[in-house]
Amino acid sequence: MQSAVKHYYNINKFLVSKLGGWPSQSKFMRILAPTIITSFIFSIGFLEVSGTLEMYRKVFAITVGDFQFVKFSETWRTLTQDCECFIVILITIGGYIKLFALIFNKKNIERLLSLIDYHWTVFTHSTETPIMHEYAMIGRMMTISYSVLVYSLMSLYMLIPVTPQLLDLVKPLNKSRPYKYLFDIDYSFEREEYYYFVLLHAYITTVVTMSIMITVDALYMVFAEHACGLFAAIGSRLEALTPGRNSNVSRLVETTATYKLADYIEKDEKLYREIIVVLKQHQLTIEYVCLLDSSFSLTSFILLFINIIVISLLGIQILSLLDRKEEMTRYVAMSLGGFMHLFVLSYPGQRIIDHSSEVFHKAYNVLWYRMPRKSSRLINMLLHQCLTPCTLTAGKIYVLSMTNYASMVQASMSYFTALSSFS
């Protein structure tokens, strides 16, 4: 990557490198880092699955040669009491999906990064370079803001288990306050005896899982913001074709429209070549967005499905803990995190829709009807290309946008209402 612009992406490089997903890393690190991370995530997921299977054994009272099933309503009431297990399992699966999307999409990630580097050598017009830097800075600020927000919320969440110990120091009682845990997991041994080791294991797992989420989401937002920068740069170049602006190309349009075309063949050729450059740049941007979409489409689809289920289960937990404010606050915070993650999946897609649509409007506002015929035909080709805005999708069937984000939030609330009716 060019040294002049690589500082915009150094945070993303640092985060991705810690997961073993940066293309320039050694093969050893690309294997070692994911292996260690996978082991930590698997440890918490395995314990949760074991606890869930034990819960099913008790609920359905399965014995060898004798199956006894309780009523569905009673079963569901028991399950909702321990649905934290399902929530942690689903979050663990989400962490795996994000990690595997980064590792197994290595070639696509490498291709996207190389295209970004190539675009900085193509979009070098005086009106384009400032816009490229502006949008690269926006992507960097998104990465910083998202990282600070998630890590801050995670830190507050991780303070909950040690609250009793802190209160014992500040305001001691005659007896020690009960221990609290980050996850309600059966470790098959006396947890209080090894309390701090259990807490350390939960902390490390939480930090690793949240780091995966931040890394992949931030990289996704930076890639999408770069696409927005390309569309904005194309739009600025199109605006330079409009008469009334201080540009040589603007005067080209006015002169070729006012006088005979034969007298201005050279100027007409300059205008023609300028529009060809814009067409090529737009085609490069479309190819980049298509590659970005294919790289994250399946991952986004699975994560959307998981996100909706987790939010619904968190809503059930909140209802069941209305009389316990401290624990309820914990799940409210997790619900806000779920909605925020859903927003992060949808917002970059909306940005690309908006910016790609603006190219159409700016191309239409060019006085193409005053241009020579061969130049106006190129503008018509560009208008045809821009007629359908570029999109990011989930599974190639669901368009990621703010309109559909609102629909997903409404669907989550509907599923939560339906599930809570059984409790």
Side-chain angles (χ1 to χ4, degrees):
M1 186 167 287
Q2 300 179 67
S3 59
V5 298
K6 67 181 181 181
H7 65 278
Y8 290 126
Y9 311 102
N10 57 3
I11 298 177
N12 299 97
K13 180 180 178 180
F14 173 79
L15 293 172
V16 175
S17 299
K18 298 306 176 184
L19 301 183
W22 195 257
S24 60
Q25 280 186 283
S26 65
K27 186 176 181 180
F28 175 75
M29 287 303 300
R30 290 204 304 268
I31 295 174
L32 179 63
T35 302
I36 295 174
I37 293 170
T38 302
S39 301
F40 274 108
I41 300 178
F42 176 78
S43 63
I44 198 74
F46 176 78
L47 292 171
E48 285 288 358
V49 170
S50 301
T52 305
L53 292 176
E54 178 65 18
M55 180 183 64
Y56 271 114
R57 187 188 67 79
K58 294 178 180 178
V59 169
F60 293 107
I62 300 178
T63 57
V64 179
D66 181 22
F67 293 87
Q68 302 173 4
F69 294 91
V70 297
K71 294 180 180 180
F72 180 76
S73 59
E74 295 176 356
T75 301
W76 187 255
R77 188 177 298 111
T78 305
L79 293 177
T80 54
Q81 293 172 358
D82 295 308
C83 67
E84 181 181 350
C85 297
F86 295 102
I87 294 171
V88 175
I89 290 171
L90 289 172
I91 293 175
T92 301
I93 293 173
Y96 273 126
I97 292 170
K98 283 184 177 289
L99 180 62
F100 293 156
L102 188 66
I103 302 303
F104 294 121
N105 268 341
K106 184 178 71 70
K107 290 185 178 179
N108 284 349
I109 300 297
E110 186 175 3
R111 176 63 178 162
L112 287 168
L113 290 171
S114 64
L115 282 176
I116 290 175
D117 195 26
Y118 175 66
H119 292 155
W120 280 92
T121 63
V122 174
F123 290 74
T124 55
H125 192 267
S126 58
T127 62
E128 296 170 346
T129 303
I131 293 175
M132 295 287 288
H133 282 278
E134 177 187 352
Y135 278 81
M137 179 58 70
I138 291 174
R140 177 182 172 86
M141 293 307 299
M142 282 184 172
T143 300
I144 295 173
S145 302
Y146 186 61
S147 302
V148 170
L149 178 61
V150 174
Y151 278 129
S152 299
L153 291 175
M154 182 194 69
S155 300
L156 293 174
Y157 181 79
M158 291 169 62
L159 281 175
I160 294 175
V162 296
T163 302
Q165 283 70 34
L166 294 176
L167 290 175
D168 283 338
L169 296 175
V170 177
K171 189 179 180 181
L173 300 176
N174 292 331
K175 59 179 181 179
S176 298
R177 291 178 172 86
Y179 287 115
K180 290 187 177 181
Y181 300 90
L182 202 60
F183 306 118
D184 188 14
I185 300 175
D186 184 9
Y187 280 85
S188 300
F189 56 78
E190 187 59 41
R191 290 190 299 178
E192 292 189 3
E193 185 176 350
Y194 302 96
Y195 174 73
Y196 291 104
F197 290 102
V198 170
L199 199 60
L200 178 63
H201 172 254
Y203 279 171
I204 293 175
T205 306
T206 302
V207 171
V208 168
T209 305
M210 291 298 101
S211 297
I212 294 172
M213 184 183 76
I214 291 170
T215 301
V216 179
D217 288 348
L219 189 66
Y220 173 68
M221 288 189 289
V222 165
F223 284 154
E225 202 61 28
H226 176 73
C228 295
L230 299 181
F231 284 123
I234 293 170
S236 70
R237 199 154 186 170
L238 285 170
E239 286 180 334
L241 300 176
T242 306
R245 296 184 179 272
N246 295 324
S247 67
N248 294 330
V249 181
S250 301
R251 289 191 289 273
L252 290 178
V253 179
E254 290 182 327
T255 53
T256 52
T258 307
Y259 302 98
K260 293 182 180 179
L261 181 62
D263 298 332
Y264 299 96
I265 295 177
E266 183 180 355
K267 294 180 181 180
D268 179 25
E269 287 299 320
K270 288 182 180 179
L271 175 63
Y272 181 74
R273 288 195 296 269
E274 184 76 11
I275 300 174
I276 287 178
V277 171
V278 173
L279 275 169
K280 290 181 178 179
Q281 289 179 335
H282 189 256
Q283 189 60 40
L284 280 173
T285 306
I286 291 176
E287 292 174 359
Y288 173 83
V289 174
C290 289
L291 179 59
L292 175 61
D293 181 43
S294 62
S295 300
F296 290 91
S297 180
L298 180 59
T299 304
S300 298
F301 180 77
I302 299 173
L303 290 174
L304 278 175
F305 181 73
I306 292 176
N307 220 113
I308 293 174
I309 297 176
V310 169
I311 291 174
S312 301
L313 292 175
L314 286 170
I316 295 173
Q317 286 291 85
I318 292 170
L319 280 184
S320 63
L321 296 171
L322 289 176
D323 56 335
R324 289 180 280 177
K325 302 300 182 182
E326 184 178 344
E327 293 189 34
M328 185 191 71
T329 304
R330 174 186 174 195
Y331 289 104
V332 169
M334 293 178 68
S335 298
L336 293 176
F339 285 118
M340 182 178 68
H341 182 250
L342 193 60
F343 176 83
V344 167
L345 290 176
S346 304
Y347 182 66
Q350 183 64 52
R351 292 270 293 173
I352 288 180
I353 291 173
D354 294 340
H355 282 74
S356 60
S357 298
E358 285 179 7
V359 175
F360 174 85
H361 296 299
K362 290 179 179 179
Y364 186 79
N365 288 332
V366 173
L367 299 184
W368 47 269
Y369 48 85
R370 296 177 59 184
M371 291 180 180
R373 187 171 181 80
K374 63 177 182 179
S375 297
S376 64
R377 282 179 176 176
L378 292 181
I379 295 295
N380 288 336
M381 290 174 58
L382 180 61
L383 287 171
H384 185 267
Q385 284 184 351
C386 301
L387 194 58
T388 303
C390 295
T391 58
L392 296 179
T393 63
K396 302 293 183 181
I397 58 176
Y398 175 88
V399 176
L400 295 168
S401 65
M402 294 309 295
T403 302
N404 288 332
Y405 168 73
S407 300
M408 284 292 101
V409 172
Q410 185 178 4
S412 300
M413 295 296 99
S414 300
Y415 296 147
F416 153 66
T417 303
L419 290 172
S420 62
S421 64
F422 292 106
S423 58

